[in-house]
Amino acid sequence: MAQETLKSDIKSLLRKRNAVLLAHNYMRDEVQEIADITGDSLALSMEAAKTDADVIVFCGVHFMAESASILAPEKTVLLPRLDAGCPMADMVTVEGLKELKARYPGVPVVTYVNSSAAVKAESDICCTSANALKVVQSMSENEIIFAPDKNLGSYVARFTDKKFHLWEGYCPTHERLRPEVVVELKDQHPGAPFVCHPECNPAVVALADHVCSTTGMYDYCRKSSAKRFIIGTEAGILWRLKRENPDKEFILASPALICPNMKLTSLEDVHEALVNMRPVVKVPEETRVPAKRALDRMLAIPRD
Ligand code: 13P
Ligand code: SF4
């Protein structure tokens, strides 16, 4: 089917099903283009929690669809590609987290939303890259367990006196960006701010002019008077950056910044999901209720 026909068929199916299409900022360009809402993990969770639609088509990865199911259990949550996972989320298991909790009794667990529903259910509070520092600051304890992203955890730890016990997880996509590549690009483009995601390695983060979530990057690049930026996050972010800032230039710090999981979902997959009303992601109640507690506690913290 031609792309334009596919897009208009998806639009009418969305209306017919009373469905909303949410797409993460790393999705393929054409998927972002037809989305009702694009955003970072935090914005999309907030949207899932408040939408009036009967169906949420989640164009992202598995943990995001799970979060939507946790927050909106009465809705049908479709994940067009069930095989779109997150290797970082898979790096932490419930058993492992329980062992860590047993090693540090009474120490609260702050879990990055890039984690399974079962791991969230074992956690005290969730965070995203957009609110991690605020979440940590909201805790009265002076010690925390932070899982699964050691890079985000060590970035946040710089701004607080709290003691961190870090889970050794990381994002393989962001980890591929090496500091020497950034140094070379900064030399080639003097004056171009290097903006990076806190999932990058600390040696890369140390070179950044600004560190933020994907939505934070849109805000920063729009407001900045610079005309050229070096971007340290997944390539999907470029579509909206270029569209919102036609007079500015964006240089992806490395061609390796592509998350294969975020690139799986095609327009055909979205169409098929809406026709067949599957694959459905549904979190069982015994996991959903404690996981929701951790997500709700995070969502109670206002976004800037
Ligand atoms: P945001 O936290 O900016 O959504 O992106 C991080 C990410 O890797 C999502 O998988
Ligand atoms: Fe997971 Fe990294 Fe891909 Fe995000 S970019 S889904 S953290 S592997």
Side-chain angles (χ1 to χ4, degrees), residues 24 26 61 63-64 85-89 112 114 149 170-174 197 199 233-234 258-262:
H24 189 268
Y26 294 160
V61 291
F63 74 81
M64 297 178 176
C86 168
M88 167 156 61
Y112 192 25
N114 297 39
D149 189 1
Y170 61 91
C171 163
T173 298
H174 285 87
H197 197 281
E199 284 177 18
T233 195
E234 211 275 345
I258 293 181
C259 170
N261 289 282
M262 285 285 189

